[in-house]
Amino acid sequence: DIQMTQSPSSLSASVGDRVTITCRASQAISSYLAWYQQKPGKIPKLLIYAASTLQSGVPSRFSGSGSGTDFTLTISSLQPEDVATYYCQNYNSVPRTFGQGTKVEIK
Amino acid sequence: QLVESGGDLVQPGGSLRLSCAASGFTFSNFWMSWVRQAPGKGLEWVANIKQDGGEKNYVDSVKGRFTISRDNAENSLYLQMNSLRAEDTAVYYCARGGRYFDPWGQGALVTVSS
């Protein structure tokens, strides 16, 4: 199985800061990577698929990059409504696997 | 829209069947999946099923115990869970897609405890 490792596990940043979350796959997965946002008490929401394609309706301050084993989710200007846990997910192979999550808080 | 039902408290070794009613899209055109989240934990993919039900995949921890199925005439997805264990306790989400998942249902809580 492909293991997905996110870093950091949590972060605290100020409103307006640029925030970067990293996801590393245990083997190459091309661009078969998705990112999700889960706000406290809410269901997960798809942000990005194919490593860098923004899902319809997602604010443009979110962006994704990477291929192979190393991927990044960037929030260009952190907003209060971005407080959430973010997960990466591999879909190169079965089983589909998620990272452990990165909790983003406002400083 | 995806709406799960069937979550409950069940004893270890017991069985439960989850259902997911889909609306607002052509259900028969999409792979479908189940993803679970244990209390306070991260997301874990459980299973997926092809449009015609002809291909199914499972995470190793549920193989031989869980069965995913669908009824395209009823726009419904199911998860039959047998030989339940404490570690199966989680919110189970139904989600559209077999690769990445969008949208997700509100979830059904399954608690396995004596």
Side-chain angles (χ1 to χ4, degrees):
Chain A
D1 298 358
I2 297 174
Q3 308 303 316
M4 307 300 292
T5 304
Q6 290 181 231
S7 61
S9 295
S10 65
L11 66 89
S12 181
S14 299
V15 172
D17 281 355
R18 183 180 185 87
V19 169
T20 299
I21 299 168
T22 296
C23 177
R24 175 163 290 176
S26 60
Q27 57 186 273
I29 60 171
S30 185
S31 296
Y32 297 117
L33 186 101
W35 288 97
Y36 300 87
Q37 176 193 63
Q38 186 175 30
K39 295 183 179 181
K42 302 298 185 182
I43 67 175
K45 173 187 174 183
L46 176 68
L47 295 177
I48 288 168
Y49 60 94
S52 60
T53 302
L54 206 63
Q55 175 69 340
S56 176
V58 173
S60 59
R61 63 181 180 274
F62 291 93
S63 64
S65 65
S67 67
T69 60
D70 294 318
F71 302 87
T72 299
L73 173 69
T74 300
I75 308 173
S76 60
S77 177
L78 187 67
Q79 300 302 304
E81 59 267 32
D82 300 334
V83 168
T85 299
Y86 294 84
Y87 296 93
C88 62
Q89 178 236 324
N90 141 62
Y91 57 94
N92 178 71
S93 59
V94 172
R96 310 305 190 208
T97 48
F98 290 88
Q100 81 279 15
T102 295
K103 188 174 184 179
V104 174
E105 298 176 322
I106 299 292
K107 192 181 297 183
Chain B
Q1 185 182 8
L2 298 168
V3 179
E4 300 91 338
S5 60
D8 205 348
L9 169 65
V10 61
Q11 292 190 340
S15 297
L16 205 59
R17 188 196 199 202
L18 300 182
S19 299
C20 172
S23 61
F25 64 97
T26 306
F27 180 73
S28 58
N29 285 355
F30 291 88
W31 279 76
M32 295 294 295
S33 298
W34 289 99
V35 179
R36 67 184 177 183
Q37 187 168 34
K41 302 297 184 182
L43 301 170
E44 181 184 34
W45 173 82
V46 174
N48 65 12
I49 185 169
K50 195 176 179 180
Q51 291 91 328
D52 62 359
E55 184 177 343
K56 305 174 185 181
N57 299 290
Y58 301 90
V59 68
D60 281 351
S61 60
V62 308
K63 280 181 183 175
R65 300 189 300 123
F66 290 13
T67 302
I68 189 172
S69 62
R70 65 192 295 162
D71 184 337
N72 288 340
E74 295 292 327
N75 292 330
S76 293
L77 178 72
Y78 305 102
L79 186 67
Q80 177 67 43
M81 302 183 292
N82 298 332
S83 302
L84 282 160
R85 307 166 180 167
E87 54 266 35
D88 296 318
T89 294
V91 174
Y92 284 73
Y93 296 103
C94 161
R96 186 177 68 180
R99 299 181 300 167
Y100 51 88
F101 315 118
D102 180 70
W104 299 54
Q106 290 299 314
L109 177 62
V110 173
T111 303
V112 184
S113 175
S114 55

